[in-house]
Amino acid sequence: MPRLTATGRAALSEERRRQILDAAARVFAARGYAAATIEAIARDAGVAEGTIYNYFHSKEELLIGIPRHLAGAVLDDLATRLPEAHDAVAAERVLTRAGRVILDRVRAHVRFLKVFFSALPYLSPRAREAYMRLMPTAVAGLLEPHLRAGQARGLYRAGFSPAIAARAFPAMLGMLALSEVLLGRRLLPHDDSLLAREVARLFLYGVLAPQRRLAGGVTTSGRRSRR
């Protein structure tokens, strides 16, 4: 049997890690966090228990690693859906597509997400901190360069923070979708395409009528806006 190259070993290791995380997501969703065991996860993954400990130190570490793993497809898809936009129509189209990708991924993993959020209060402070450092930067890491480039070209207004905005957009969608996940029912009678489009428009244009929008603290009527 030919020996694996370093690249081949790395690919095999990454594939095994994904295999374990997929199995953990299934077991957590089926049993809940408290009842899930490393033994059950290993059995579902088709590996020895010891193999899991080569990649993850604990059940807790597995749990906080799953959301980032599940978001991998979102990030790959967003990487192709965030091209440069040169006008408002293109910007709206790009963000609507990105929003739909985020919503699709949340809907696909409803059962696991319910378990995940129910388990969060029982995680150690270190684990919660690790999760909070990791997840907010996932989508923002792709969206921020898009916003920054558009700002430099004059498409987006000067003076706003791309770093803040890049975290605000997925948060708007995420809170809407996760509210429904936790409640177990739809809050709005609209499909995800419409939800993604409306959130993209809200993000881009706000809710003020065009003649009322602010420009340096002054309305288009020429009067100083009230702070």
Side-chain angles (χ1 to χ4, degrees):
M1 184 175 178
R3 297 183 107 186
L4 284 174
T5 63
T7 301
R9 285 195 298 273
L12 183 61
S13 177
E14 181 58 28
E15 178 57 33
R16 182 58 54 83
R17 188 175 186 279
R18 286 196 296 266
Q19 179 184 349
I20 292 169
L21 286 170
D22 283 337
R26 289 190 293 268
V27 173
F28 285 140
R31 297 189 176 196
Y33 179 68
T37 64
I38 295 294
E39 179 185 6
I41 293 168
R43 188 164 54 247
D44 189 288
V47 301
E49 281 189 62
T51 300
I52 291 182
Y53 288 110
N54 289 334
Y55 296 87
F56 303 94
H57 295 112
S58 64
K59 186 171 74 168
E60 183 178 75
E61 191 172 304
L62 270 168
L63 183 75
I64 64 173
I66 291 172
R68 182 62 175 77
H69 166 63
L70 297 181
V74 172
L75 301 182
D76 291 343
D77 209 349
L78 286 183
T80 65
R81 291 172 182 252
L82 288 175
E84 288 188 355
H86 296 279
D87 56 37
V89 173
E92 183 181 319
R93 184 167 57 246
V94 166
L95 290 176
T96 298
R97 287 174 179 170
R100 184 57 195 267
V101 170
I102 294 169
L103 291 173
D104 284 348
R105 203 61 176 171
V106 171
R107 304 285 187 211
H109 298 285
V110 167
R111 289 182 64 195
F112 168 75
L113 289 170
K114 286 182 179 179
V115 172
F116 180 79
F117 283 103
S118 67
L120 274 179
Y122 304 101
L123 297 182
S124 68
R126 181 195 61 79
R128 285 199 299 271
E129 184 180 348
Y131 169 74
M132 293 308 296
R133 279 200 311 267
L134 179 67
M135 286 309 295
T137 62
V139 175
L142 291 173
L143 185 55
E144 184 178 343
H146 167 83
L147 295 173
R148 200 174 294 283
Q151 187 180 51
R153 293 194 306 273
L155 174 61
Y156 302 127
R157 67 175 173 81
F160 84 96
S161 167
I164 294 173
R167 286 153 180 79
F169 177 68
M172 292 164 70
L173 282 163
M175 286 305 299
L176 179 62
L178 289 175
S179 296
E180 295 184 350
V181 165
L182 297 176
L183 289 173
R185 61 182 175 83
R186 288 268 184 166
L187 296 177
L188 297 169
H190 306 299
D191 64 32
D192 285 348
S193 294
L194 178 59
L195 290 176
R197 189 181 74 217
E198 288 305 304
V199 171
R201 287 176 173 175
L202 178 62
F203 178 80
L204 286 170
Y205 313 125
V207 294
L208 288 175
Q211 68 273 19
R212 296 289 185 179
R213 287 180 190 152
L214 304 180
V218 180
T219 65
T220 51
S221 65
R223 292 179 295 182
R224 175 70 56 181
S225 64
R226 293 182 180 179
R227 297 289 180 178

